[in-house]
Amino acid sequence: MPLVLVILGRQGSGKGTQAGRLAERYGVIHVSTGDMLRSAVAAGTELGRRAKAVMDSGDLVGNDIMIGIVAERLADDDIQANGVLLDGFPRTTAQADALAQILGGTGPHLAINLDVPIAEVTKRMLARSRADDTTEAIARRLELYEAETAPLLAWFEERGCLTVVDGLGTEYEVFARLAEVVDAL
Ligand code: AMP
């Protein structure tokens, strides 16, 4: 596969917006697992029905389901031809191991940790008022992020592909920092 990028960051870090802009700039396909799940919920598919309660509570959808969805999507022609920017996946080390297996035993070319402190993301999430953004769900997601996703940083670090980018500042300032690290590849 041409280029495989991963963007990590707490919910509310601005990673979805920045991922969309990065994908456009570098011509890779933006794959957001959160968006895929929300579409499935809206469409009322079997997957959507299984994922809805878990998402509403702020918990993580099971690894087996997520790995299946992503493996299937990564096999698509558009991604095989253009490369991918994964947003929201991997979320656990089990998902990272599965990704490495899909990629033939290696990590992504680059994993970017878009770093925004907990106090700031909580403020932003309460302000955006999405249906699944109750105070409890926000707290639960942040707790899970620290517990499950933070060890991923070590996973990427060990494979030499982790870069931390400061996510504080305007959308343009943050995008410029992100573009700088991708350009350096
Ligand atoms: P997001 O839009 O990335 O914040 O995802 C919204 C919700 O979808 C999360 O709170 C999880 O319940 C679920 N989700 C998205 N991606 C994953 C993943 N890779 N593993 C498990 N659950 C996920």
Side-chain angles (χ1 to χ4, degrees):
M1 204 184 298
L3 185 62
V4 181
L5 303 173
V6 169
I7 187 160
L8 302 151
R10 296 189 173 91
Q11 287 80 13
S13 62
K15 81 178 155 60
T17 308
Q18 298 290 354
R21 296 190 59 189
L22 280 173
E24 199 178 323
R25 156 86 65 107
Y26 296 98
V28 296
I29 310 294
H30 177 202
V31 171
S32 157
T33 47
D35 286 349
M36 288 171 84
L37 292 171
R38 280 184 287 275
S39 300
V41 171
T45 63
E46 166 69 21
L47 166 67
R49 280 194 296 275
R50 288 167 73 183
K52 188 176 187 317
V54 180
M55 291 172 73
D56 285 346
S57 71
D59 281 338
L60 291 178
V61 174
N63 284 327
D64 290 352
I65 293 180
M66 294 312 304
I67 291 165
I69 296 170
V70 172
E72 205 172 289
R73 183 69 184 92
L74 291 182
D76 288 342
D77 289 346
D78 59 340
I79 290 181
Q80 291 297 321
N82 301 294
V84 68
L85 171 54
L86 286 168
D87 164 11
F89 185 96
R91 276 278 223 292
T92 63
T93 49
Q95 292 178 11
D97 288 337
L99 175 64
Q101 206 178 346
I102 293 167
L103 298 177
T106 67
H109 296 100
L110 182 67
I112 300 169
N113 177 24
L114 185 60
D115 190 34
V116 179
I118 290 182
E120 174 65 20
V121 294
T122 304
K123 201 173 82 186
R124 291 184 190 178
M125 275 194 282
L126 286 171
R128 78 182 178 182
S129 72
R130 206 168 68 188
D132 58 348
D133 279 346
T134 60
T135 314
E136 295 74 26
I138 290 170
R140 176 83 185 123
R141 285 194 211 107
L142 288 173
E143 187 187 305
L144 272 178
Y145 186 82
E146 302 313 313
E148 300 244 25
T149 313
L152 271 182
L153 301 181
W155 191 99
F156 289 116
E157 182 95 71
E158 280 161 24
R159 283 154 187 83
C161 57
L162 183 72
T163 301
V164 182
V165 170
D166 177 7
L168 288 176
T170 66
E171 196 180 312
Y172 300 97
E173 285 164 350
V174 175
F175 184 71
R177 285 178 209 139
L178 289 166
E180 200 177 319
V181 302
V182 180
D183 281 342
L185 264 186

